[in-house]
Amino acid sequence: MTRPAAVKLAIVLWSFAWTFYLGHCGIFAFDQSMMFDGAWRILSGQVPFKDFIMAFGPVSFAIQALFFKIFGVTWTTMVLAAALLAAAAAVSVMRSMALLFGRERVWLVAGAGFLVGTSIQSMFGTLWIEQVAFFFCLLALQALCESLHCRTGPRLACFSLAGALSALAFFTKQNAGGATLAFIAFLILAAALPHARQVLTSLSAFFAGIAAIAGLFVLWLIRFSEPHLFVRHFLQVPAELGRSRVDPKVLFFVPHLLTQIHGTTEWSHAVALGAALYAVFL
């Protein structure tokens, strides 16, 4: 095994072990019980939005239910799912960085994998809705990076795959998924400009991937679930709650926003916003 391969393997194992260890250090019953309960209900044969309602998409709960089916309904199974997602996220990020900057920059590839693998799930220790959505975002970004090394046909397939993964992110969590859809579309558009035909074909492939997943989801809703309850609890209720919590005029008025930073949570949001803006300008 080469040295770079050994470093990458060590980071993947670390991402798994770190998350697996922290997942057994405690429990936050209010939040983590939602994932347990939703996955158990699906495993028991209940149907989301028909037999029980939620303000999120069902994707993360279905993933956890699959782990319950394979490994049993235990706390360790919940931790195992999170640890495997952390390891997979590290692999995805290292692959994307290698495609963008070259395999010879081992420190850059390894550093990105270490940061993402260490942090993406360890804050919860079990699967969490936003983290699963962001994982799909990472996979969509990887698909775009793969497209840089493909010819026209496979490149369009990568764009379709990115669209499908972005749709999965949306049906996992609305806010993270919506940001993923906009961000991936923006990257595809920016890469295709100023060639109008390339813009059209690239975005068409992207939206075809979205349409495929959305179409399958709608068919599932009609056949097995309750579409009107999905619209009410997945779209309308979160939108009403979001409007009551956030005033867009305040959010985008930076001086006022900065004066409202009073604690750890607000500082975390400010740092995340700054990092996102920095990444866009880069």
Side-chain angles (χ1 to χ4, degrees):
M1 180 181 294
T2 63
R3 188 173 181 178
V7 171
K8 294 176 183 178
L9 178 60
I11 290 171
V12 172
L13 294 176
W14 160 260
S15 301
F16 177 90
W18 177 244
T19 305
F20 193 80
Y21 167 73
L22 290 180
H24 287 93
C25 288
I27 178 174
F28 183 35
F30 182 77
D31 276 0
Q32 291 176 312
S33 64
M34 290 190 293
M35 182 62 67
F36 185 95
D37 184 68
W40 177 84
R41 287 174 180 272
I42 292 175
L43 181 66
S44 301
Q46 297 185 34
V47 179
F49 304 108
K50 180 180 180 181
D51 300 313
F52 66 102
I53 58 175
M54 63 182 78
F56 325 105
V59 177
S60 58
F61 300 96
I63 293 173
Q64 184 61 67
L66 177 62
F67 274 86
F68 280 162
K69 179 71 173 179
I70 297 172
F71 299 104
V73 183
T74 66
W75 180 261
T76 295
T77 299
M78 294 187 68
V79 177
L80 176 64
L84 288 174
L85 186 142
V91 171
S92 177
V93 168
M94 287 191 289
R95 172 64 178 171
S96 297
M97 296 297 285
L99 290 169
L100 287 173
F101 300 103
R103 298 177 183 274
E104 64 277 3
R105 297 189 177 183
V106 179
W107 63 270
L108 184 60
V109 173
F114 175 79
L115 290 174
V116 172
T118 299
S119 63
I120 188 170
Q121 276 291 170
S122 60
M123 65 183 74
F124 287 98
T126 58
L127 277 188
W128 189 238
I129 307 161
E130 278 87 357
Q131 270 58 36
V132 175
F134 285 128
F135 175 66
F136 285 124
C137 179
L138 290 176
L139 294 180
L141 286 171
Q142 181 186 340
L144 295 190
C145 294
E146 299 284 357
S147 73
L148 299 175
H149 301 268
C150 297
R151 295 186 178 182
T152 302
R155 182 181 300 117
L156 294 178
C158 288
F159 293 156
S160 294
L161 178 59
L165 291 165
S166 299
L168 285 173
F170 179 75
F171 289 123
T172 301
K173 189 61 168 31
Q174 303 93 313
N175 53 1
T180 297
L181 287 166
F183 184 52
I184 299 299
F186 170 77
L187 290 178
I188 292 175
L189 176 64
L193 289 174
H195 308 289
R197 184 173 182 179
Q198 189 174 346
V199 169
L200 179 61
T201 55
S202 298
L203 288 179
S204 295
F206 174 68
F207 286 113
I210 296 174
I213 296 299
L216 290 173
F217 190 82
V218 168
L219 289 176
W220 171 80
L221 276 176
I222 295 172
R223 177 65 179 84
F224 300 103
S225 189
E226 295 289 347
H228 70 283
L229 290 178
F230 167 79
V231 172
R232 175 58 183 161
H233 294 284
F234 181 79
L235 298 175
Q236 294 177 349
V237 171
E240 293 169 2
L241 182 61
R243 284 193 296 267
S244 68
R245 286 180 173 178
V246 179
D247 182 355
K249 296 179 181 179
V250 173
L251 179 63
F252 293 104
F253 185 59
V254 176
H256 181 83
L257 177 64
L258 293 178
T259 61
Q260 301 305 306
I261 300 177
H262 301 302
T264 303
T265 301
E266 289 79 6
W267 273 113
S268 297
H269 292 166
V271 171
L273 179 61
L277 292 173
Y278 182 68
V280 169
F281 284 116
L282 282 179

PDB file of all heavy atoms in Angstrom, residues 42-67:
ATOM      1  N   ILE A  42     -41.318   3.123  10.410  1.00  0.00           N
ATOM      2  CA  ILE A  42     -41.195   2.626   9.038  1.00  0.00           C
ATOM      3  C   ILE A  42     -40.884   1.140   9.034  1.00  0.00           C
ATOM      4  O   ILE A  42     -41.447   0.365   8.248  1.00  0.00           O
ATOM      5  CB  ILE A  42     -40.109   3.422   8.286  1.00  0.00           C
ATOM      6  CG1 ILE A  42     -40.574   4.867   8.075  1.00  0.00           C
ATOM      7  CG2 ILE A  42     -39.788   2.769   6.944  1.00  0.00           C
ATOM      8  CD1 ILE A  42     -39.535   5.766   7.449  1.00  0.00           C
ATOM      9  N   LEU A  43     -39.986   0.716   9.925  1.00  0.00           N
ATOM     10  CA  LEU A  43     -39.652  -0.701  10.031  1.00  0.00           C
ATOM     11  C   LEU A  43     -40.876  -1.527  10.414  1.00  0.00           C
ATOM     12  O   LEU A  43     -41.021  -2.680   9.961  1.00  0.00           O
ATOM     13  CB  LEU A  43     -38.545  -0.893  11.073  1.00  0.00           C
ATOM     14  CG  LEU A  43     -38.045  -2.316  11.302  1.00  0.00           C
ATOM     15  CD1 LEU A  43     -37.353  -2.849  10.053  1.00  0.00           C
ATOM     16  CD2 LEU A  43     -37.108  -2.377  12.499  1.00  0.00           C
ATOM     17  N   SER A  44     -41.766  -0.951  11.193  1.00  0.00           N
ATOM     18  CA  SER A  44     -42.968  -1.656  11.644  1.00  0.00           C
ATOM     19  C   SER A  44     -44.067  -1.676  10.586  1.00  0.00           C
ATOM     20  O   SER A  44     -45.134  -2.251  10.819  1.00  0.00           O
ATOM     21  CB  SER A  44     -43.497  -1.012  12.925  1.00  0.00           C
ATOM     22  OG  SER A  44     -42.525  -1.053  13.950  1.00  0.00           O
ATOM     23  N   GLY A  45     -43.825  -1.019   9.456  1.00  0.00           N
ATOM     24  CA  GLY A  45     -44.808  -1.030   8.381  1.00  0.00           C
ATOM     25  C   GLY A  45     -45.638   0.226   8.266  1.00  0.00           C
ATOM     26  O   GLY A  45     -46.505   0.316   7.385  1.00  0.00           O
ATOM     27  N   GLN A  46     -45.411   1.201   9.137  1.00  0.00           N
ATOM     28  CA  GLN A  46     -46.146   2.453   9.035  1.00  0.00           C
ATOM     29  C   GLN A  46     -45.604   3.303   7.884  1.00  0.00           C
ATOM     30  O   GLN A  46     -44.430   3.206   7.532  1.00  0.00           O
ATOM     31  CB  GLN A  46     -46.063   3.229  10.349  1.00  0.00           C
ATOM     32  CG  GLN A  46     -46.701   2.515  11.529  1.00  0.00           C
ATOM     33  CD  GLN A  46     -46.701   3.358  12.778  1.00  0.00           C
ATOM     34  OE1 GLN A  46     -46.826   4.581  12.719  1.00  0.00           O
ATOM     35  NE2 GLN A  46     -46.568   2.717  13.933  1.00  0.00           N
ATOM     36  N   VAL A  47     -46.469   4.118   7.311  1.00  0.00           N
ATOM     37  CA  VAL A  47     -46.123   4.917   6.136  1.00  0.00           C
ATOM     38  C   VAL A  47     -46.069   6.394   6.523  1.00  0.00           C
ATOM     39  O   VAL A  47     -47.044   6.921   7.081  1.00  0.00           O
ATOM     40  CB  VAL A  47     -47.158   4.714   5.012  1.00  0.00           C
ATOM     41  CG1 VAL A  47     -46.802   5.578   3.790  1.00  0.00           C
ATOM     42  CG2 VAL A  47     -47.236   3.245   4.627  1.00  0.00           C
ATOM     43  N   PRO A  48     -44.946   7.074   6.224  1.00  0.00           N
ATOM     44  CA  PRO A  48     -44.848   8.513   6.522  1.00  0.00           C
ATOM     45  C   PRO A  48     -45.956   9.304   5.832  1.00  0.00           C
ATOM     46  O   PRO A  48     -46.312   9.029   4.689  1.00  0.00           O
ATOM     47  CB  PRO A  48     -43.466   8.888   5.969  1.00  0.00           C
ATOM     48  CG  PRO A  48     -42.688   7.613   5.986  1.00  0.00           C
ATOM     49  CD  PRO A  48     -43.677   6.535   5.692  1.00  0.00           C
ATOM     50  N   PHE A  49     -46.500  10.276   6.561  1.00  0.00           N
ATOM     51  CA  PHE A  49     -47.553  11.191   6.113  1.00  0.00           C
ATOM     52  C   PHE A  49     -48.914  10.508   5.940  1.00  0.00           C
ATOM     53  O   PHE A  49     -49.878  11.168   5.600  1.00  0.00           O
ATOM     54  CB  PHE A  49     -47.177  11.898   4.806  1.00  0.00           C
ATOM     55  CG  PHE A  49     -45.876  12.632   4.882  1.00  0.00           C
ATOM     56  CD1 PHE A  49     -44.750  12.156   4.229  1.00  0.00           C
ATOM     57  CD2 PHE A  49     -45.762  13.779   5.640  1.00  0.00           C
ATOM     58  CE1 PHE A  49     -43.533  12.828   4.316  1.00  0.00           C
ATOM     59  CE2 PHE A  49     -44.558  14.455   5.737  1.00  0.00           C
ATOM     60  CZ  PHE A  49     -43.441  13.973   5.072  1.00  0.00           C
ATOM     61  N   LYS A  50     -48.963   9.209   6.195  1.00  0.00           N
ATOM     62  CA  LYS A  50     -50.243   8.504   6.205  1.00  0.00           C
ATOM     63  C   LYS A  50     -50.557   8.004   7.608  1.00  0.00           C
ATOM     64  O   LYS A  50     -51.624   8.284   8.154  1.00  0.00           O
ATOM     65  CB  LYS A  50     -50.220   7.329   5.228  1.00  0.00           C
ATOM     66  CG  LYS A  50     -51.524   6.549   5.186  1.00  0.00           C
ATOM     67  CD  LYS A  50     -51.435   5.397   4.203  1.00  0.00           C
ATOM     68  CE  LYS A  50     -52.754   4.615   4.168  1.00  0.00           C
ATOM     69  NZ  LYS A  50     -52.675   3.458   3.232  1.00  0.00           N
ATOM     70  N   ASP A  51     -49.601   7.281   8.196  1.00  0.00           N
ATOM     71  CA  ASP A  51     -49.785   6.759   9.550  1.00  0.00           C
ATOM     72  C   ASP A  51     -49.167   7.657  10.611  1.00  0.00           C
ATOM     73  O   ASP A  51     -49.529   7.561  11.787  1.00  0.00           O
ATOM     74  CB  ASP A  51     -49.175   5.361   9.648  1.00  0.00           C
ATOM     75  CG  ASP A  51     -49.818   4.391   8.682  1.00  0.00           C
ATOM     76  OD1 ASP A  51     -51.059   4.362   8.613  1.00  0.00           O
ATOM     77  OD2 ASP A  51     -49.089   3.673   7.974  1.00  0.00           O
ATOM     78  N   PHE A  52     -48.222   8.480  10.223  1.00  0.00           N
ATOM     79  CA  PHE A  52     -47.637   9.462  11.146  1.00  0.00           C
ATOM     80  C   PHE A  52     -47.095  10.622  10.329  1.00  0.00           C
ATOM     81  O   PHE A  52     -46.767  10.465   9.153  1.00  0.00           O
ATOM     82  CB  PHE A  52     -46.530   8.840  12.019  1.00  0.00           C
ATOM     83  CG  PHE A  52     -45.305   8.390  11.250  1.00  0.00           C
ATOM     84  CD1 PHE A  52     -44.150   9.158  11.235  1.00  0.00           C
ATOM     85  CD2 PHE A  52     -45.300   7.183  10.561  1.00  0.00           C
ATOM     86  CE1 PHE A  52     -43.014   8.752  10.547  1.00  0.00           C
ATOM     87  CE2 PHE A  52     -44.171   6.765   9.867  1.00  0.00           C
ATOM     88  CZ  PHE A  52     -43.029   7.544   9.867  1.00  0.00           C
ATOM     89  N   ILE A  53     -47.039  11.792  10.955  1.00  0.00           N
ATOM     90  CA  ILE A  53     -46.627  12.989  10.235  1.00  0.00           C
ATOM     91  C   ILE A  53     -45.285  13.473  10.756  1.00  0.00           C
ATOM     92  O   ILE A  53     -44.864  13.149  11.868  1.00  0.00           O
ATOM     93  CB  ILE A  53     -47.673  14.114  10.359  1.00  0.00           C
ATOM     94  CG1 ILE A  53     -47.926  14.460  11.832  1.00  0.00           C
ATOM     95  CG2 ILE A  53     -48.956  13.724   9.654  1.00  0.00           C
ATOM     96  CD1 ILE A  53     -48.844  15.639  12.029  1.00  0.00           C
ATOM     97  N   MET A  54     -44.611  14.269   9.939  1.00  0.00           N
ATOM     98  CA  MET A  54     -43.327  14.846  10.295  1.00  0.00           C
ATOM     99  C   MET A  54     -43.147  16.130   9.515  1.00  0.00           C
ATOM    100  O   MET A  54     -43.800  16.336   8.485  1.00  0.00           O
ATOM    101  CB  MET A  54     -42.190  13.868   9.990  1.00  0.00           C
ATOM    102  CG  MET A  54     -42.067  13.533   8.514  1.00  0.00           C
ATOM    103  SD  MET A  54     -40.761  12.342   8.142  1.00  0.00           S
ATOM    104  CE  MET A  54     -41.560  10.819   8.618  1.00  0.00           C
ATOM    105  N   ALA A  55     -42.272  16.977   9.993  1.00  0.00           N
ATOM    106  CA  ALA A  55     -42.002  18.242   9.298  1.00  0.00           C
ATOM    107  C   ALA A  55     -40.766  18.131   8.418  1.00  0.00           C
ATOM    108  O   ALA A  55     -40.225  19.141   7.971  1.00  0.00           O
ATOM    109  CB  ALA A  55     -41.815  19.365  10.311  1.00  0.00           C
ATOM    110  N   PHE A  56     -40.316  16.905   8.169  1.00  0.00           N
ATOM    111  CA  PHE A  56     -39.127  16.667   7.357  1.00  0.00           C
ATOM    112  C   PHE A  56     -39.480  15.683   6.244  1.00  0.00           C
ATOM    113  O   PHE A  56     -40.586  15.143   6.196  1.00  0.00           O
ATOM    114  CB  PHE A  56     -37.992  16.076   8.202  1.00  0.00           C
ATOM    115  CG  PHE A  56     -37.928  16.585   9.606  1.00  0.00           C
ATOM    116  CD1 PHE A  56     -38.336  15.806  10.669  1.00  0.00           C
ATOM    117  CD2 PHE A  56     -37.468  17.869   9.866  1.00  0.00           C
ATOM    118  CE1 PHE A  56     -38.286  16.274  11.969  1.00  0.00           C
ATOM    119  CE2 PHE A  56     -37.417  18.351  11.166  1.00  0.00           C
ATOM    120  CZ  PHE A  56     -37.824  17.555  12.216  1.00  0.00           C
ATOM    121  N   GLY A  57     -38.503  15.419   5.400  1.00  0.00           N
ATOM    122  CA  GLY A  57     -38.668  14.364   4.421  1.00  0.00           C
ATOM    123  C   GLY A  57     -38.395  13.006   5.053  1.00  0.00           C
ATOM    124  O   GLY A  57     -37.779  12.915   6.113  1.00  0.00           O
ATOM    125  N   PRO A  58     -38.803  11.917   4.412  1.00  0.00           N
ATOM    126  CA  PRO A  58     -38.668  10.588   5.017  1.00  0.00           C
ATOM    127  C   PRO A  58     -37.357   9.878   4.718  1.00  0.00           C
ATOM    128  O   PRO A  58     -37.150   8.755   5.194  1.00  0.00           O
ATOM    129  CB  PRO A  58     -39.832   9.826   4.381  1.00  0.00           C
ATOM    130  CG  PRO A  58     -39.960  10.432   3.013  1.00  0.00           C
ATOM    131  CD  PRO A  58     -39.611  11.891   3.179  1.00  0.00           C
ATOM    132  N   VAL A  59     -36.453  10.498   3.955  1.00  0.00           N
ATOM    133  CA  VAL A  59     -35.280   9.771   3.465  1.00  0.00           C
ATOM    134  C   VAL A  59     -34.366   9.307   4.598  1.00  0.00           C
ATOM    135  O   VAL A  59     -33.954   8.142   4.645  1.00  0.00           O
ATOM    136  CB  VAL A  59     -34.488  10.633   2.461  1.00  0.00           C
ATOM    137  CG1 VAL A  59     -33.221   9.906   2.011  1.00  0.00           C
ATOM    138  CG2 VAL A  59     -35.353  10.964   1.248  1.00  0.00           C
ATOM    139  N   SER A  60     -34.027  10.211   5.518  1.00  0.00           N
ATOM    140  CA  SER A  60     -33.117   9.827   6.601  1.00  0.00           C
ATOM    141  C   SER A  60     -33.729   8.752   7.480  1.00  0.00           C
ATOM    142  O   SER A  60     -33.033   7.839   7.954  1.00  0.00           O
ATOM    143  CB  SER A  60     -32.735  11.052   7.435  1.00  0.00           C
ATOM    144  OG  SER A  60     -33.890  11.674   7.969  1.00  0.00           O
ATOM    145  N   PHE A  61     -35.038   8.816   7.711  1.00  0.00           N
ATOM    146  CA  PHE A  61     -35.717   7.810   8.520  1.00  0.00           C
ATOM    147  C   PHE A  61     -35.719   6.458   7.812  1.00  0.00           C
ATOM    148  O   PHE A  61     -35.575   5.410   8.455  1.00  0.00           O
ATOM    149  CB  PHE A  61     -37.149   8.251   8.816  1.00  0.00           C
ATOM    150  CG  PHE A  61     -37.233   9.546   9.559  1.00  0.00           C
ATOM    151  CD1 PHE A  61     -37.433  10.740   8.891  1.00  0.00           C
ATOM    152  CD2 PHE A  61     -37.090   9.572  10.943  1.00  0.00           C
ATOM    153  CE1 PHE A  61     -37.510  11.937   9.583  1.00  0.00           C
ATOM    154  CE2 PHE A  61     -37.167  10.768  11.641  1.00  0.00           C
ATOM    155  CZ  PHE A  61     -37.370  11.955  10.957  1.00  0.00           C
ATOM    156  N   ALA A  62     -35.874   6.481   6.485  1.00  0.00           N
ATOM    157  CA  ALA A  62     -35.845   5.234   5.727  1.00  0.00           C
ATOM    158  C   ALA A  62     -34.452   4.596   5.778  1.00  0.00           C
ATOM    159  O   ALA A  62     -34.321   3.364   5.863  1.00  0.00           O
ATOM    160  CB  ALA A  62     -36.255   5.496   4.277  1.00  0.00           C
ATOM    161  N   ILE A  63     -33.409   5.427   5.732  1.00  0.00           N
ATOM    162  CA  ILE A  63     -32.049   4.898   5.829  1.00  0.00           C
ATOM    163  C   ILE A  63     -31.825   4.242   7.186  1.00  0.00           C
ATOM    164  O   ILE A  63     -31.285   3.136   7.285  1.00  0.00           O
ATOM    165  CB  ILE A  63     -31.024   6.025   5.593  1.00  0.00           C
ATOM    166  CG1 ILE A  63     -31.104   6.524   4.145  1.00  0.00           C
ATOM    167  CG2 ILE A  63     -29.605   5.544   5.907  1.00  0.00           C
ATOM    168  CD1 ILE A  63     -30.251   7.750   3.869  1.00  0.00           C
ATOM    169  N   GLN A  64     -32.254   4.929   8.248  1.00  0.00           N
ATOM    170  CA  GLN A  64     -32.091   4.350   9.583  1.00  0.00           C
ATOM    171  C   GLN A  64     -32.927   3.079   9.737  1.00  0.00           C
ATOM    172  O   GLN A  64     -32.486   2.110  10.383  1.00  0.00           O
ATOM    173  CB  GLN A  64     -32.485   5.370  10.647  1.00  0.00           C
ATOM    174  CG  GLN A  64     -32.252   4.897  12.068  1.00  0.00           C
ATOM    175  CD  GLN A  64     -30.801   4.595  12.347  1.00  0.00           C
ATOM    176  OE1 GLN A  64     -29.963   5.491  12.366  1.00  0.00           O
ATOM    177  NE2 GLN A  64     -30.487   3.322  12.559  1.00  0.00           N
ATOM    178  N   ALA A  65     -34.107   3.049   9.141  1.00  0.00           N
ATOM    179  CA  ALA A  65     -34.942   1.847   9.192  1.00  0.00           C
ATOM    180  C   ALA A  65     -34.248   0.676   8.520  1.00  0.00           C
ATOM    181  O   ALA A  65     -34.348  -0.474   8.980  1.00  0.00           O
ATOM    182  CB  ALA A  65     -36.296   2.120   8.534  1.00  0.00           C
ATOM    183  N   LEU A  66     -33.535   0.944   7.429  1.00  0.00           N
ATOM    184  CA  LEU A  66     -32.783  -0.110   6.746  1.00  0.00           C
ATOM    185  C   LEU A  66     -31.700  -0.673   7.661  1.00  0.00           C
ATOM    186  O   LEU A  66     -31.499  -1.899   7.727  1.00  0.00           O
ATOM    187  CB  LEU A  66     -32.172   0.429   5.455  1.00  0.00           C
ATOM    188  CG  LEU A  66     -31.299  -0.544   4.656  1.00  0.00           C
ATOM    189  CD1 LEU A  66     -32.122  -1.750   4.197  1.00  0.00           C
ATOM    190  CD2 LEU A  66     -30.676   0.162   3.453  1.00  0.00           C
ATOM    191  N   PHE A  67     -31.011   0.197   8.383  1.00  0.00           N
ATOM    192  CA  PHE A  67     -30.004  -0.276   9.333  1.00  0.00           C
ATOM    193  C   PHE A  67     -30.650  -1.089  10.450  1.00  0.00           C
ATOM    194  O   PHE A  67     -30.092  -2.114  10.888  1.00  0.00           O
ATOM    195  CB  PHE A  67     -29.234   0.913   9.912  1.00  0.00           C
ATOM    196  CG  PHE A  67     -28.074   1.344   9.075  1.00  0.00           C
ATOM    197  CD1 PHE A  67     -28.249   2.247   8.027  1.00  0.00           C
ATOM    198  CD2 PHE A  67     -26.797   0.858   9.317  1.00  0.00           C
ATOM    199  CE1 PHE A  67     -27.180   2.636   7.240  1.00  0.00           C
ATOM    200  CE2 PHE A  67     -25.720   1.245   8.548  1.00  0.00           C
ATOM    201  CZ  PHE A  67     -25.904   2.146   7.497  1.00  0.00           C
TER     202      PHE A  67
END
